[in-house]
């Protein structure tokens, strides 16, 4: 059964054009780009072509792009580089809702004796800008704030934050792993020094990413060894995946405007129908500033895991919280930071769409999910009581 895949913030399918372009570099052109012979050395040109394509998607210069193994490595590299290049500064600012790639790295520095400020968010997942301004001081080595949240899709005011940081001469890194390829991102306009992106979130394979490093920004490599990436990231280049990332970025750039409209339309239809058909459902996050592909909905008084299992029976893939934390039954740190009530955190489902979704995918969810919610609530004693309390409303045609 072909899945109805609505979990694109966890990972995306590899675009057919991308796999077609990368496969020769798996099967035929397996040389090492650092080799003197033509067979290997010719790959150098292909890597530079990919670099140009990645740079073009975000309005950067090719030499500002460093290929890495994933978004996590890009995030870790950015923060570590800042700390290494400003060794006298011992303060890091980030947010309470970062992906673990930044959040846990910041906690690691806290354990090492750094002062770390985790800026809170309000109940719509919006950053507490007052607290952010107040946290900034002469000792701040780096601010790392995500562009868009992986669980709710909420987009942070990166432009505004960057302007302040530029005036204060503080390094600014943004984890744009969920934003690049989904919304326009231009380094010509954004006052950002470092930016992370990841291949598998934009229809390239897993295990490849990139770090944007603005020209003139001090840098210290995280992975030390050979001279690859002009000495900025050692390790023999993952040529097929780099080629794939380049192609995926080229595709994303060409189709972005249409995709934003198309995917946003599908997401809005799905969300509106589910809110209409399911009582006690609410959207988590600021719907005014949000990725077009993401909808995080809490179905109160139901367990998110139970919903996922039932959807799975229909081949529908979604997620509760981020893919990294599902598997443990820990409630999402993002929703908790937003103060989402306990009963709603546990029943939260994230739908994340892509250009490969069709209307029929959304229709299927709209058809099967409301009865699933109703049934699960009738099985849960708490849900049954709650439903009994609001039964008259439901009878009056909300379902
Ligand atoms: N940052 C964000 C916001 C993410 O959503 C993810 C992956 O889910 C990452 C970083 C990590 O990227 P990767 O899986 O490429 O290491």
């Amino acid at each position: 059964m072909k899945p109805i895949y609505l979990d694109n913030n966890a990972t995306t399918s590899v675009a057919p054009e991308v796999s077609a372009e990368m496969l020769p570099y798996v099967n035929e052109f397996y040389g090492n780009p650092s080799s003197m012979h033509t067979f290997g050395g010719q790959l150098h040109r292909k890597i530079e072509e990919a670099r140009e394509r990645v740079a073009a998607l975000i309005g950067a210069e090719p030499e500002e792009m460093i290929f890495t193994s994933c978004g996590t490595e890009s995030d870790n590299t950015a923060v570590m580089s800042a700390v290494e290049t400003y060794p006298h500064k011992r303060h890091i600012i980030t947010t309470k809702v970062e992906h673990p790639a930044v959040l846990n790295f910041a906690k690691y520095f806290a354990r090492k004796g750094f002062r770390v400020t985790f800026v809170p968010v309000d109940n719509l997942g919006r950053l507490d800008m007052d607290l952010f301004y107040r946290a900034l001081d002469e000792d701040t080595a780096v601010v790392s704030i995500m562009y868009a949240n992986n669980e709710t899709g909420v987009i942070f005011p990166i432009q505004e934050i960057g302007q302040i940081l530029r005036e204060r001469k503080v390094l600014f890194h943004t984890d744009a792993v969920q934003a690049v390829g989904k919304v326009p991102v231009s380094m010509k306009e954004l006052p950002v020094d470092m930016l992370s992106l990841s291949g598998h979130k934009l229809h390239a394979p897993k295990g490849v990413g990139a770090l944007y490093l603005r020209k003139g920004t001090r840098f210290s490599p995280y992975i030390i060894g050979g001279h690859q990436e002009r000495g900025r990231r050692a390790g023999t280049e993952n040529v097929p995946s780099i080629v794939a990332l380049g192609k995926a970025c080229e595709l994303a750039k060409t189709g972005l405007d249409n995709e934003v409209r198309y995917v946003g339309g599908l997401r809005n239809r799905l969300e509106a129908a589910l809110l209409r058909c399911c009582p006690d459902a609410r959207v988590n996050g600021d719907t005014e500033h949000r990725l077009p592909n993401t909808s995080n909905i809490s179905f109160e008084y139901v367990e998110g895991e139970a919903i996922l299992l039932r959807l799975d029976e229909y081949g529908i893939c979604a997620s509760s919280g981020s893919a990294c934390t599902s598997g443990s039954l820990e409630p999402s740190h993002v929703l908790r930071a937003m103060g989402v009530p306990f009963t709603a955190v546990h029943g939260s489902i994230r739908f994340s769409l892509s250009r490969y979704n069709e209307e029929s995918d959304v229709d299927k969810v709209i058809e099967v999910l409301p009865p699933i919610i109703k049934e699960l609530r009738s099985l849960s004693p708490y849900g049954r009581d709650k439903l009994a309390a609001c039964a008259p409303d439901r009878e009056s045609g909300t379902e």
Side-chain angles (χ1 to χ4, degrees):
M1 176 168 57
K2 187 171 165 277
I4 295 176
Y5 191 75
L6 301 171
D7 202 11
N8 287 278
N9 287 8
T11 197
T12 58
S13 63
V14 176
E17 299 91 330
V18 168
S19 56
E21 182 131 346
M22 86 179 275
L23 274 181
Y25 297 89
V26 176
N27 296 324
E28 283 170 65
F29 305 114
Y30 52 81
N32 186 325
S34 300
S35 296
M36 287 298 288
H37 46 73
T38 311
F39 182 65
Q42 65 183 348
L43 300 177
H44 187 71
R45 178 63 218 124
K46 198 66 194 167
I47 291 176
E48 293 317 306
E49 180 191 84
R51 200 184 307 281
E52 284 161 19
R53 288 170 164 178
V54 178
L57 175 61
I58 60 166
E61 298 297 324
E63 51 291 2
E64 292 177 315
M65 303 308 312
I66 304 170
F67 289 117
T68 64
S69 70
C70 58
T72 302
E73 185 193 320
S74 301
D75 287 342
N76 281 205
T77 303
V79 175
M80 183 60 100
S81 169
V83 166
E84 292 276 346
T85 51
Y86 291 89
H88 54 288
K89 298 194 174 193
R90 304 282 293 171
H91 179 216
I92 296 170
I93 300 181
T94 186
T95 79
K96 287 194 167 178
V97 296
E98 296 297 309
H99 185 274
V102 169
L103 194 66
N104 287 342
F105 206 46
K107 288 180 183 168
Y108 162 83
F109 281 105
R111 287 195 298 277
K112 292 265 168 205
F114 280 73
R115 208 157 40 86
V116 182
T117 304
F118 296 93
V119 181
V121 295
D122 68 8
N123 62 354
L124 293 181
R126 294 174 303 195
L127 213 54
D128 183 335
M129 293 297 281
D130 275 354
L131 204 144
F132 163 67
Y133 293 137
R134 276 188 278 124
L136 272 176
D137 59 27
E138 295 299 310
D139 202 29
T140 309
V142 64
V143 173
S144 180
I145 292 182
M146 69 199 324
Y147 195 112
N149 188 272
N150 44 304
E151 295 192 31
T152 59
V154 171
I155 296 177
F156 282 151
I158 298 301
Q159 180 80 32
E160 184 185 339
I161 295 169
Q163 246 140 24
I164 303 286
L165 295 178
R166 194 159 272 185
E167 283 160 24
R168 302 281 295 259
K169 296 191 171 40
V170 176
L171 267 188
F172 184 24
H173 165 250
T174 185
D175 173 349
V177 162
Q178 291 293 348
V180 172
K182 295 191 182 122
V183 287
V185 170
S186 170
M187 303 322 295
K188 290 197 177 71
E189 281 147 35
L190 282 183
V192 164
D193 302 304
M194 294 178 278
L195 174 145
S196 304
L197 62 95
S198 173
H200 74 111
K201 311 291 183 178
L202 69 153
H203 304 287
K206 296 155 194 64
V208 64
L211 175 67
Y212 162 86
L213 177 72
R214 188 175 292 281
K215 217 177 277 173
T217 306
R218 289 197 215 171
F219 183 72
S220 169
Y222 188 44
I223 298 195
I224 295 170
H227 59 271
Q228 294 88 353
E229 297 295 287
R230 295 166 59 210
R232 298 184 296 185
R233 199 278 185 181
T236 303
E237 298 89 339
N238 180 352
V239 180
S241 295
I242 289 173
V243 168
L245 178 59
K247 185 65 186 175
C249 288
E250 186 190 69
L251 289 177
K253 184 168 164 33
T254 321
L256 195 57
D257 290 346
N258 284 340
E259 194 168 321
V260 167
R261 258 193 308 277
Y262 174 70
V263 172
L266 283 184
R267 187 274 313 270
N268 292 345
R269 202 155 78 75
L270 173 69
E271 193 169 88
L274 292 179
L275 293 180
R276 201 171 52 244
C277 300
C278 302
D280 288 319
R282 47 179 275 176
V283 174
N284 295 310
D286 177 6
T287 52
E288 296 286 301
H289 300 102
R290 195 169 49 147
L291 294 173
N293 80 320
T294 307
S295 177
N296 188 311
I297 305 183
S298 279
F299 302 93
E300 289 205 65
Y301 317 110
V302 204
E303 283 294 330
E305 284 67 27
I307 302 172
L308 288 185
L309 287 175
R310 294 298 312 276
L311 287 176
D312 197 45
E313 289 168 18
Y314 294 93
I316 298 169
C317 309
S319 133
S320 65
S322 79
C324 304
T325 50
S326 64
S328 81
L329 289 180
E330 276 293 297
S332 147
H333 72 282
V334 175
L335 300 185
R336 273 183 301 152
M338 289 162 61
V340 175
F342 181 81
T343 48
V345 169
H346 278 278
S348 76
I349 298 291
R350 179 188 67 188
F351 298 101
S352 47
L353 285 69
S354 83
R355 60 174 176 265
Y356 296 112
N357 285 120
E358 293 171 4
E359 293 223 348
S360 57
D361 298 339
V362 165
D363 289 343
K364 189 70 186 171
V365 179
I366 296 171
E367 177 197 327
V368 305
L369 186 51
I372 290 176
I373 301 293
K374 190 173 176 187
E375 185 199 328
L376 290 174
R377 280 185 181 148
S378 73
L379 295 174
S380 122
Y382 190 38
R384 206 167 34 226
D385 290 346
K386 172 72 195 169
L387 279 185
C390 63
D393 283 343
R394 287 171 39 254
E395 293 309 317
S396 66
T398 39
E399 280 178 69

